[in-house]
Amino acid sequence: EANEKEVGMAGRTQQLKGKANQAAGKAKAAAGYQSKSGKTEAKGEAKNLKGKAQEAAGKARAKAKKATR
């Protein structure tokens, strides 16, 4: 039972981390755009994409866990 809870929590944790990375990435990209720093803007966009992938992985993990119950 403890293992089931860990996998469920891991999926939610991934989703939350993904959302956090997306928010940070959007802020960094906006700051880069405002300061005309293409490098900072690109790093922000990359972090945003990382967050989207992370969130999707968390959702997939949670969905897989539900399917195996």
Side-chain angles (χ1 to χ4, degrees):
E1 185 178 305
N3 194 24
E4 285 180 24
K5 203 173 215 178
E6 286 174 24
V7 173
M9 290 294 289
R12 283 190 288 276
T13 301
Q14 284 295 102
Q15 288 179 46
L16 291 173
K17 284 182 179 179
K19 285 187 183 294
N21 275 325
Q22 285 180 58
K26 286 178 185 177
K28 190 171 195 171
Y33 179 78
Q34 290 295 322
S35 66
K36 296 182 178 28
S37 171
K39 188 175 182 181
T40 301
E41 188 177 357
K43 284 183 177 181
E45 287 298 328
K47 190 163 190 163
N48 184 20
L49 290 174
K50 175 187 174 187
K52 286 182 180 185
Q54 204 170 21
E55 185 179 3
K59 285 181 179 178
R61 193 176 200 170
K63 189 174 183 179
K65 181 62 188 164
K66 280 186 179 180
T68 59
R69 285 187 184 168

Short mmCIF file of all heavy atoms in Angstrom, two decimals:
data_model
loop_
_atom_site.label_atom_id
_atom_site.label_comp_id
_atom_site.label_asym_id
_atom_site.label_seq_id
_atom_site.Cartn_x
_atom_site.Cartn_y
_atom_site.Cartn_z
N GLU A 1 0.82 -1.19 0.00
CA GLU A 1 0.00 0.00 0.00
C GLU A 1 0.87 1.26 0.00
O GLU A 1 0.56 2.22 -0.69
CB GLU A 1 -0.93 -0.01 1.20
CG GLU A 1 -1.90 1.17 1.17
CD GLU A 1 -2.85 1.14 2.34
OE1 GLU A 1 -3.53 0.12 2.53
OE2 GLU A 1 -2.88 2.14 3.05
N ALA A 2 1.95 1.24 0.74
CA ALA A 2 2.83 2.41 0.78
C ALA A 2 3.40 2.70 -0.60
O ALA A 2 3.51 3.85 -1.01
CB ALA A 2 3.95 2.19 1.78
N ASN A 3 3.73 1.65 -1.35
CA ASN A 3 4.28 1.83 -2.68
C ASN A 3 3.25 2.46 -3.62
O ASN A 3 3.58 3.31 -4.43
CB ASN A 3 4.77 0.49 -3.24
CG ASN A 3 5.64 0.69 -4.47
OD1 ASN A 3 6.23 1.76 -4.65
ND2 ASN A 3 5.71 -0.32 -5.30
N GLU A 4 1.98 2.04 -3.51
CA GLU A 4 0.92 2.63 -4.33
C GLU A 4 0.82 4.13 -4.08
O GLU A 4 0.68 4.92 -4.99
CB GLU A 4 -0.43 1.98 -4.01
CG GLU A 4 -0.60 0.59 -4.58
CD GLU A 4 -1.95 0.01 -4.22
OE1 GLU A 4 -2.90 0.77 -3.97
OE2 GLU A 4 -2.06 -1.23 -4.21
N LYS A 5 0.89 4.50 -2.81
CA LYS A 5 0.77 5.90 -2.45
C LYS A 5 1.95 6.70 -3.01
O LYS A 5 1.79 7.80 -3.51
CB LYS A 5 0.73 6.03 -0.93
CG LYS A 5 0.09 7.29 -0.44
CD LYS A 5 -0.07 7.23 1.06
CE LYS A 5 -1.35 7.92 1.45
NZ LYS A 5 -1.62 7.88 2.86
N GLU A 6 3.15 6.10 -2.96
CA GLU A 6 4.34 6.78 -3.47
C GLU A 6 4.22 7.06 -4.96
O GLU A 6 4.55 8.13 -5.43
CB GLU A 6 5.59 5.94 -3.21
CG GLU A 6 6.03 5.95 -1.76
CD GLU A 6 7.17 5.00 -1.50
OE1 GLU A 6 7.91 4.67 -2.45
OE2 GLU A 6 7.33 4.57 -0.35
N VAL A 7 3.74 6.09 -5.72
CA VAL A 7 3.60 6.28 -7.17
C VAL A 7 2.56 7.34 -7.46
O VAL A 7 2.77 8.20 -8.31
CB VAL A 7 3.24 4.94 -7.87
CG1 VAL A 7 2.94 5.18 -9.33
CG2 VAL A 7 4.37 3.94 -7.71
N GLY A 8 1.45 7.33 -6.74
CA GLY A 8 0.42 8.34 -6.92
C GLY A 8 0.94 9.72 -6.58
O GLY A 8 0.71 10.69 -7.29
N MET A 9 1.67 9.82 -5.50
CA MET A 9 2.24 11.10 -5.08
C MET A 9 3.30 11.56 -6.08
O MET A 9 3.42 12.74 -6.36
CB MET A 9 2.87 10.97 -3.69
CG MET A 9 1.87 10.81 -2.58
SD MET A 9 0.84 12.26 -2.34
CE MET A 9 2.04 13.37 -1.65
N ALA A 10 4.05 10.61 -6.62
CA ALA A 10 5.10 10.97 -7.58
C ALA A 10 4.49 11.61 -8.82
O ALA A 10 5.03 12.57 -9.35
CB ALA A 10 5.91 9.73 -7.95
N GLY A 11 3.36 11.09 -9.27
CA GLY A 11 2.69 11.67 -10.43
C GLY A 11 2.23 13.09 -10.16
O GLY A 11 2.44 13.99 -10.97
N ARG A 12 1.64 13.29 -9.00
CA ARG A 12 1.18 14.64 -8.64
C ARG A 12 2.37 15.58 -8.44
O ARG A 12 2.32 16.75 -8.82
CB ARG A 12 0.32 14.59 -7.38
CG ARG A 12 -1.09 14.08 -7.66
CD ARG A 12 -1.99 14.28 -6.47
NE ARG A 12 -1.69 13.38 -5.37
CZ ARG A 12 -2.16 12.14 -5.26
NH1 ARG A 12 -2.95 11.66 -6.20
NH2 ARG A 12 -1.84 11.39 -4.24
N THR A 13 3.44 15.06 -7.84
CA THR A 13 4.63 15.87 -7.62
C THR A 13 5.20 16.32 -8.96
O THR A 13 5.56 17.48 -9.12
CB THR A 13 5.69 15.07 -6.84
OG1 THR A 13 5.13 14.69 -5.59
CG2 THR A 13 6.93 15.89 -6.60
N GLN A 14 5.26 15.41 -9.92
CA GLN A 14 5.76 15.76 -11.25
C GLN A 14 4.90 16.85 -11.88
O GLN A 14 5.41 17.76 -12.51
CB GLN A 14 5.81 14.54 -12.16
CG GLN A 14 6.95 13.60 -11.89
CD GLN A 14 8.28 14.24 -12.18
OE1 GLN A 14 8.99 14.66 -11.28
NE2 GLN A 14 8.64 14.33 -13.42
N GLN A 15 3.60 16.72 -11.73
CA GLN A 15 2.69 17.71 -12.30
C GLN A 15 2.92 19.08 -11.67
O GLN A 15 2.98 20.09 -12.37
CB GLN A 15 1.23 17.28 -12.10
CG GLN A 15 0.82 16.10 -12.97
CD GLN A 15 -0.61 15.69 -12.73
OE1 GLN A 15 -1.49 16.53 -12.68
NE2 GLN A 15 -0.85 14.40 -12.58
N LEU A 16 3.07 19.10 -10.35
CA LEU A 16 3.29 20.38 -9.66
C LEU A 16 4.64 21.00 -10.02
O LEU A 16 4.74 22.20 -10.25
CB LEU A 16 3.19 20.19 -8.14
CG LEU A 16 1.79 19.87 -7.63
CD1 LEU A 16 1.83 19.53 -6.15
CD2 LEU A 16 0.84 21.02 -7.88
N LYS A 17 5.66 20.16 -10.09
CA LYS A 17 6.97 20.66 -10.49
C LYS A 17 6.91 21.19 -11.92
O LYS A 17 7.55 22.19 -12.24
CB LYS A 17 8.02 19.56 -10.40
CG LYS A 17 8.47 19.25 -8.99
CD LYS A 17 9.55 18.19 -9.00
CE LYS A 17 10.03 17.87 -7.60
NZ LYS A 17 11.07 16.81 -7.62
N GLY A 18 6.16 20.51 -12.76
CA GLY A 18 6.01 20.95 -14.14
C GLY A 18 5.36 22.31 -14.23
O GLY A 18 5.80 23.19 -14.96
N LYS A 19 4.31 22.50 -13.45
CA LYS A 19 3.62 23.80 -13.44
C LYS A 19 4.55 24.89 -12.93
O LYS A 19 4.56 26.01 -13.45
CB LYS A 19 2.35 23.73 -12.59
CG LYS A 19 1.22 22.98 -13.27
CD LYS A 19 -0.06 23.09 -12.48
CE LYS A 19 -1.18 22.30 -13.09
NZ LYS A 19 -1.62 22.78 -14.37
N ALA A 20 5.35 24.58 -11.91
CA ALA A 20 6.29 25.55 -11.37
C ALA A 20 7.35 25.92 -12.41
O ALA A 20 7.68 27.10 -12.58
CB ALA A 20 6.96 25.01 -10.11
N ASN A 21 7.86 24.92 -13.12
CA ASN A 21 8.85 25.20 -14.15
C ASN A 21 8.26 26.02 -15.29
O ASN A 21 8.93 26.88 -15.85
CB ASN A 21 9.44 23.89 -14.71
CG ASN A 21 10.58 23.38 -13.87
OD1 ASN A 21 11.36 24.13 -13.31
ND2 ASN A 21 10.70 22.07 -13.77
N GLN A 22 7.01 25.74 -15.63
CA GLN A 22 6.35 26.52 -16.68
C GLN A 22 6.24 27.99 -16.27
O GLN A 22 6.55 28.89 -17.05
CB GLN A 22 4.96 25.98 -16.97
CG GLN A 22 4.95 24.69 -17.75
CD GLN A 22 3.54 24.21 -18.00
OE1 GLN A 22 2.74 24.91 -18.59
NE2 GLN A 22 3.23 23.01 -17.55
N ALA A 23 5.81 28.22 -15.04
CA ALA A 23 5.65 29.60 -14.56
C ALA A 23 6.99 30.32 -14.53
O ALA A 23 7.10 31.47 -14.99
CB ALA A 23 5.01 29.60 -13.17
N ALA A 24 8.01 29.64 -14.03
CA ALA A 24 9.34 30.25 -13.97
C ALA A 24 9.87 30.52 -15.37
O ALA A 24 10.48 31.56 -15.63
CB ALA A 24 10.30 29.34 -13.20
N GLY A 25 9.63 29.58 -16.27
CA GLY A 25 10.09 29.74 -17.64
C GLY A 25 9.42 30.90 -18.35
O GLY A 25 10.06 31.68 -19.05
N LYS A 26 8.12 31.04 -18.14
CA LYS A 26 7.38 32.15 -18.76
C LYS A 26 7.90 33.49 -18.23
O LYS A 26 8.07 34.44 -18.99
CB LYS A 26 5.88 32.01 -18.49
CG LYS A 26 5.23 30.93 -19.32
CD LYS A 26 3.76 30.79 -18.99
CE LYS A 26 3.14 29.62 -19.73
NZ LYS A 26 1.74 29.41 -19.39
N ALA A 27 8.15 33.55 -16.93
CA ALA A 27 8.65 34.78 -16.33
C ALA A 27 10.04 35.12 -16.87
O ALA A 27 10.33 36.27 -17.22
CB ALA A 27 8.70 34.65 -14.81
N LYS A 28 10.89 34.11 -16.97
CA LYS A 28 12.25 34.32 -17.46
C LYS A 28 12.22 34.74 -18.94
O LYS A 28 12.97 35.63 -19.35
CB LYS A 28 13.07 33.05 -17.29
CG LYS A 28 14.54 33.22 -17.54
CD LYS A 28 15.30 31.97 -17.13
CE LYS A 28 16.77 32.24 -17.04
NZ LYS A 28 17.50 31.13 -16.43
N ALA A 29 11.36 34.11 -19.73
CA ALA A 29 11.25 34.46 -21.14
C ALA A 29 10.76 35.90 -21.29
O ALA A 29 11.28 36.65 -22.13
CB ALA A 29 10.30 33.50 -21.85
N ALA A 30 9.80 36.29 -20.47
CA ALA A 30 9.29 37.66 -20.53
C ALA A 30 10.37 38.66 -20.14
O ALA A 30 10.52 39.71 -20.77
CB ALA A 30 8.07 37.80 -19.62
N ALA A 31 11.14 38.32 -19.11
CA ALA A 31 12.23 39.20 -18.68
C ALA A 31 13.27 39.33 -19.78
O ALA A 31 13.79 40.42 -20.04
CB ALA A 31 12.87 38.67 -17.40
N GLY A 32 13.57 38.22 -20.42
CA GLY A 32 14.53 38.24 -21.53
C GLY A 32 14.03 39.07 -22.69
O GLY A 32 14.79 39.81 -23.32
N TYR A 33 12.75 38.97 -22.97
CA TYR A 33 12.15 39.74 -24.06
C TYR A 33 12.22 41.24 -23.74
O TYR A 33 12.60 42.04 -24.58
CB TYR A 33 10.70 39.29 -24.28
CG TYR A 33 10.00 40.06 -25.38
CD1 TYR A 33 10.23 39.75 -26.71
CD2 TYR A 33 9.11 41.08 -25.08
CE1 TYR A 33 9.60 40.45 -27.74
CE2 TYR A 33 8.47 41.79 -26.08
CZ TYR A 33 8.71 41.47 -27.41
OH TYR A 33 8.09 42.16 -28.41
N GLN A 34 11.86 41.57 -22.50
CA GLN A 34 11.86 42.98 -22.09
C GLN A 34 13.26 43.59 -22.12
O GLN A 34 13.43 44.74 -22.49
CB GLN A 34 11.27 43.13 -20.68
CG GLN A 34 9.79 42.86 -20.59
CD GLN A 34 8.95 43.87 -21.35
OE1 GLN A 34 9.25 45.04 -21.36
NE2 GLN A 34 7.90 43.39 -22.00
N SER A 35 14.25 42.80 -21.73
CA SER A 35 15.62 43.31 -21.68
C SER A 35 16.36 43.09 -23.00
O SER A 35 17.55 43.37 -23.09
CB SER A 35 16.39 42.65 -20.54
OG SER A 35 16.55 41.27 -20.80
N LYS A 36 15.65 42.58 -23.99
CA LYS A 36 16.22 42.29 -25.31
C LYS A 36 17.40 41.32 -25.23
O LYS A 36 18.34 41.39 -26.00
CB LYS A 36 16.63 43.58 -26.01
CG LYS A 36 15.46 44.48 -26.32
CD LYS A 36 15.90 45.72 -27.06
CE LYS A 36 14.79 46.65 -27.46
NZ LYS A 36 13.59 46.73 -26.75
N SER A 37 17.30 40.39 -24.27
CA SER A 37 18.33 39.37 -24.12
C SER A 37 17.79 38.07 -24.72
O SER A 37 16.99 37.36 -24.09
CB SER A 37 18.68 39.16 -22.65
OG SER A 37 19.52 38.02 -22.50
N GLY A 38 18.21 37.79 -25.92
CA GLY A 38 17.73 36.58 -26.60
C GLY A 38 18.11 35.31 -25.87
O GLY A 38 17.35 34.35 -25.85
N LYS A 39 19.29 35.31 -25.24
CA LYS A 39 19.76 34.13 -24.52
C LYS A 39 18.84 33.83 -23.32
O LYS A 39 18.44 32.69 -23.10
CB LYS A 39 21.20 34.34 -24.06
CG LYS A 39 21.85 33.13 -23.48
CD LYS A 39 23.32 33.41 -23.16
CE LYS A 39 23.99 32.18 -22.62
NZ LYS A 39 25.40 32.43 -22.28
N THR A 40 18.53 34.87 -22.56
CA THR A 40 17.65 34.69 -21.39
C THR A 40 16.26 34.27 -21.83
O THR A 40 15.65 33.40 -21.22
CB THR A 40 17.58 36.00 -20.56
OG1 THR A 40 18.89 36.34 -20.14
CG2 THR A 40 16.69 35.84 -19.35
N GLU A 41 15.78 34.87 -22.89
CA GLU A 41 14.46 34.52 -23.41
C GLU A 41 14.43 33.06 -23.84
O GLU A 41 13.49 32.32 -23.54
CB GLU A 41 14.10 35.43 -24.59
CG GLU A 41 12.68 35.26 -25.07
CD GLU A 41 12.32 36.22 -26.18
OE1 GLU A 41 13.14 37.06 -26.57
OE2 GLU A 41 11.19 36.11 -26.68
N ALA A 42 15.48 32.61 -24.52
CA ALA A 42 15.55 31.22 -24.97
C ALA A 42 15.61 30.25 -23.79
O ALA A 42 14.96 29.20 -23.81
CB ALA A 42 16.78 31.02 -25.86
N LYS A 43 16.37 30.62 -22.76
CA LYS A 43 16.44 29.77 -21.57
C LYS A 43 15.07 29.68 -20.90
O LYS A 43 14.68 28.62 -20.41
CB LYS A 43 17.47 30.31 -20.57
CG LYS A 43 18.89 30.04 -20.96
CD LYS A 43 19.85 30.55 -19.89
CE LYS A 43 21.28 30.23 -20.21
NZ LYS A 43 22.19 30.69 -19.15
N GLY A 44 14.34 30.78 -20.87
CA GLY A 44 13.00 30.78 -20.29
C GLY A 44 12.06 29.89 -21.07
O GLY A 44 11.29 29.12 -20.49
N GLU A 45 12.12 29.98 -22.39
CA GLU A 45 11.26 29.13 -23.23
C GLU A 45 11.60 27.65 -23.02
O GLU A 45 10.72 26.80 -22.98
CB GLU A 45 11.42 29.51 -24.71
CG GLU A 45 10.75 30.82 -25.07
CD GLU A 45 9.24 30.81 -24.86
OE1 GLU A 45 8.60 29.76 -25.02
OE2 GLU A 45 8.70 31.88 -24.51
N ALA A 46 12.90 27.36 -22.89
CA ALA A 46 13.32 25.98 -22.66
C ALA A 46 12.78 25.46 -21.33
O ALA A 46 12.31 24.32 -21.24
CB ALA A 46 14.84 25.88 -22.68
N LYS A 47 12.82 26.30 -20.31
CA LYS A 47 12.32 25.89 -18.99
C LYS A 47 10.81 25.69 -19.04
O LYS A 47 10.27 24.77 -18.43
CB LYS A 47 12.69 26.94 -17.93
CG LYS A 47 12.43 26.48 -16.52
CD LYS A 47 13.16 27.31 -15.52
CE LYS A 47 13.06 26.64 -14.16
NZ LYS A 47 14.04 27.14 -13.23
N ASN A 48 10.12 26.52 -19.81
CA ASN A 48 8.68 26.38 -19.98
C ASN A 48 8.37 25.03 -20.64
O ASN A 48 7.48 24.31 -20.20
CB ASN A 48 8.15 27.54 -20.83
CG ASN A 48 6.65 27.52 -20.98
OD1 ASN A 48 5.94 26.89 -20.22
ND2 ASN A 48 6.16 28.20 -21.99
N LEU A 49 9.12 24.69 -21.69
CA LEU A 49 8.91 23.41 -22.37
C LEU A 49 9.23 22.23 -21.46
O LEU A 49 8.54 21.21 -21.48
CB LEU A 49 9.75 23.35 -23.65
CG LEU A 49 9.30 24.27 -24.77
CD1 LEU A 49 10.29 24.22 -25.93
CD2 LEU A 49 7.91 23.90 -25.25
N LYS A 50 10.28 22.38 -20.65
CA LYS A 50 10.62 21.33 -19.68
C LYS A 50 9.46 21.11 -18.72
O LYS A 50 9.09 19.98 -18.41
CB LYS A 50 11.87 21.73 -18.90
CG LYS A 50 12.24 20.77 -17.79
CD LYS A 50 13.38 21.30 -16.95
CE LYS A 50 13.61 20.38 -15.75
NZ LYS A 50 14.60 20.95 -14.83
N GLY A 51 8.86 22.21 -18.29
CA GLY A 51 7.73 22.12 -17.38
C GLY A 51 6.54 21.42 -18.01
O GLY A 51 5.87 20.61 -17.38
N LYS A 52 6.28 21.72 -19.28
CA LYS A 52 5.16 21.07 -19.97
C LYS A 52 5.40 19.57 -20.08
O LYS A 52 4.48 18.77 -19.87
CB LYS A 52 4.97 21.69 -21.36
CG LYS A 52 4.35 23.06 -21.33
CD LYS A 52 4.13 23.61 -22.72
CE LYS A 52 3.49 24.99 -22.64
NZ LYS A 52 3.15 25.51 -23.96
N ALA A 53 6.62 19.20 -20.41
CA ALA A 53 6.95 17.77 -20.52
C ALA A 53 6.85 17.09 -19.16
O ALA A 53 6.33 15.96 -19.05
CB ALA A 53 8.36 17.61 -21.08
N GLN A 54 7.31 17.76 -18.14
CA GLN A 54 7.27 17.22 -16.78
C GLN A 54 5.83 17.01 -16.33
O GLN A 54 5.49 15.98 -15.75
CB GLN A 54 7.99 18.20 -15.86
CG GLN A 54 8.54 17.62 -14.60
CD GLN A 54 9.44 18.61 -13.89
OE1 GLN A 54 9.35 19.82 -14.11
NE2 GLN A 54 10.30 18.12 -13.03
N GLU A 55 4.99 17.98 -16.62
CA GLU A 55 3.59 17.87 -16.24
C GLU A 55 2.92 16.72 -16.99
O GLU A 55 2.17 15.94 -16.42
CB GLU A 55 2.86 19.19 -16.54
CG GLU A 55 1.42 19.19 -16.06
CD GLU A 55 0.71 20.50 -16.34
OE1 GLU A 55 1.29 21.41 -16.95
OE2 GLU A 55 -0.45 20.60 -15.92
N ALA A 56 3.22 16.60 -18.28
CA ALA A 56 2.65 15.51 -19.08
C ALA A 56 3.10 14.15 -18.55
O ALA A 56 2.32 13.20 -18.49
CB ALA A 56 3.06 15.67 -20.54
N ALA A 57 4.37 14.06 -18.14
CA ALA A 57 4.88 12.80 -17.58
C ALA A 57 4.16 12.46 -16.29
O ALA A 57 3.82 11.29 -16.05
CB ALA A 57 6.39 12.92 -17.32
N GLY A 58 3.90 13.45 -15.47
CA GLY A 58 3.17 13.22 -14.21
C GLY A 58 1.75 12.75 -14.47
O GLY A 58 1.25 11.84 -13.80
N LYS A 59 1.10 13.36 -15.47
CA LYS A 59 -0.26 12.95 -15.81
C LYS A 59 -0.28 11.53 -16.35
O LYS A 59 -1.15 10.73 -16.00
CB LYS A 59 -0.86 13.91 -16.84
CG LYS A 59 -1.26 15.24 -16.26
CD LYS A 59 -1.86 16.15 -17.31
CE LYS A 59 -2.26 17.48 -16.70
NZ LYS A 59 -2.81 18.41 -17.70
N ALA A 60 0.69 11.20 -17.19
CA ALA A 60 0.78 9.85 -17.75
C ALA A 60 1.03 8.83 -16.64
O ALA A 60 0.44 7.74 -16.63
CB ALA A 60 1.88 9.78 -18.80
N ARG A 61 1.88 9.19 -15.72
CA ARG A 61 2.20 8.30 -14.60
C ARG A 61 0.96 8.04 -13.76
O ARG A 61 0.68 6.90 -13.36
CB ARG A 61 3.29 8.95 -13.77
CG ARG A 61 3.95 8.07 -12.79
CD ARG A 61 5.08 8.86 -12.13
NE ARG A 61 6.01 7.93 -11.52
CZ ARG A 61 7.18 8.26 -11.04
NH1 ARG A 61 7.58 9.50 -11.11
NH2 ARG A 61 7.96 7.37 -10.50
N ALA A 62 0.20 9.10 -13.48
CA ALA A 62 -1.02 8.96 -12.69
C ALA A 62 -2.05 8.12 -13.44
O ALA A 62 -2.74 7.28 -12.84
CB ALA A 62 -1.58 10.33 -12.35
N LYS A 63 -2.16 8.36 -14.73
CA LYS A 63 -3.12 7.62 -15.55
C LYS A 63 -2.76 6.12 -15.59
O LYS A 63 -3.62 5.26 -15.48
CB LYS A 63 -3.15 8.19 -16.96
CG LYS A 63 -4.25 7.65 -17.81
CD LYS A 63 -4.32 8.39 -19.15
CE LYS A 63 -5.48 7.88 -19.98
NZ LYS A 63 -5.57 8.58 -21.26
N ALA A 64 -1.46 5.83 -15.75
CA ALA A 64 -1.01 4.44 -15.77
C ALA A 64 -1.30 3.77 -14.44
O ALA A 64 -1.69 2.61 -14.39
CB ALA A 64 0.48 4.39 -16.09
N LYS A 65 -1.10 4.52 -13.37
CA LYS A 65 -1.36 3.96 -12.04
C LYS A 65 -2.83 3.63 -11.87
O LYS A 65 -3.18 2.57 -11.33
CB LYS A 65 -0.88 4.96 -10.96
CG LYS A 65 -1.08 4.47 -9.57
CD LYS A 65 -0.28 3.22 -9.32
CE LYS A 65 -0.63 2.62 -7.99
NZ LYS A 65 -0.18 1.26 -7.86
N LYS A 66 -3.70 4.52 -12.34
CA LYS A 66 -5.14 4.27 -12.24
C LYS A 66 -5.52 3.04 -13.05
O LYS A 66 -6.37 2.26 -12.65
CB LYS A 66 -5.94 5.47 -12.73
CG LYS A 66 -6.06 6.56 -11.71
CD LYS A 66 -6.98 7.67 -12.19
CE LYS A 66 -7.12 8.75 -11.16
NZ LYS A 66 -7.99 9.82 -11.61
N ALA A 67 -4.90 2.87 -14.20
CA ALA A 67 -5.23 1.75 -15.09
C ALA A 67 -4.82 0.41 -14.48
O ALA A 67 -5.42 -0.62 -14.79
CB ALA A 67 -4.56 1.93 -16.44
N THR A 68 -3.82 0.40 -13.62
CA THR A 68 -3.34 -0.85 -13.04
C THR A 68 -4.02 -1.18 -11.71
O THR A 68 -3.70 -2.19 -11.10
CB THR A 68 -1.81 -0.82 -12.83
OG1 THR A 68 -1.49 0.27 -11.96
CG2 THR A 68 -1.10 -0.67 -14.15
N ARG A 69 -4.90 -0.34 -11.26
CA ARG A 69 -5.59 -0.61 -9.99
C ARG A 69 -6.63 -1.67 -10.14
O ARG A 69 -7.26 -1.92 -11.06
CB ARG A 69 -6.24 0.65 -9.45
CG ARG A 69 -5.22 1.58 -8.86
CD ARG A 69 -5.89 2.72 -8.17
NE ARG A 69 -4.86 3.62 -7.70
CZ ARG A 69 -5.10 4.83 -7.27
NH1 ARG A 69 -6.30 5.29 -7.22
NH2 ARG A 69 -4.11 5.59 -6.87
#
